[in-house]
Amino acid sequence: HGLRARGYSPTNSTAASLVGPQIYEEFVWPYEKRLVDGLHDMGTRVRLHICGNTSRILEGMGRLGCEVVDLA
C-alpha cells in the first residue's frame, strides 16, 4: 500500500489541533511520542498528518521524531 510500501506508518491526529499547547503537552504529546517510538522500534519511519491550525503545537510536534509531518 502507498506509504507502507515505502516504509512509512501514517499516524493521524485531528484532535491535536483542537487543543492548546498546555493540554497538548500534558495529554496528547506523551501518547503520540510513545506511538512514534513504538513504530520506530518496529523498524518503520513515521508520517504524522494533522489537519487544522497547529501553529501553537508545532514545537511539540517537532520533538516527536517523525520523518514526515504533513500539515493540512
Side-chain angles (χ1 to χ4, degrees), residues 25-37:
E25 288 292 330
E26 184 174 350
F27 296 105
V28 179
W29 190 89
Y31 299 99
E32 281 187 324
K33 180 64 174 159
R34 188 170 154 193
L35 174 63
V36 169
D37 289 348

Side-chain angles (χ1 to χ4, degrees), residues 13-20 24 28 32 48 50-51 53-54 57 61:
S13 178
T14 304
S17 69
L18 301 176
V19 300
Y24 175 77
V28 179
E32 281 187 324
L48 176 66
I50 298 184
C51 294
N53 182 356
T54 57
I57 60 171
M61 290 168 44

Side-chain angles (χ1 to χ4, degrees), residues 3-70:
L3 292 174
R4 289 181 198 271
R6 292 191 302 262
Y8 284 95
S9 290
T11 63
N12 188 352
S13 178
T14 304
S17 69
L18 301 176
V19 300
Q22 291 175 331
I23 298 292
Y24 175 77
E25 288 292 330
E26 184 174 350
F27 296 105
V28 179
W29 190 89
Y31 299 99
E32 281 187 324
K33 180 64 174 159
R34 188 170 154 193
L35 174 63
V36 169
D37 289 348
L39 290 166
H40 283 150
D41 288 347
M42 292 170 35
T44 189
R45 295 173 288 177
V46 180
R47 172 184 169 249
L48 176 66
H49 173 84
I50 298 184
C51 294
N53 182 356
T54 57
S55 61
R56 299 185 314 157
I57 60 171
L58 280 175
E59 190 273 329
M61 290 168 44
R63 288 185 288 114
L64 289 171
C66 299
E67 283 72 25
V68 175
V69 176
D70 177 24

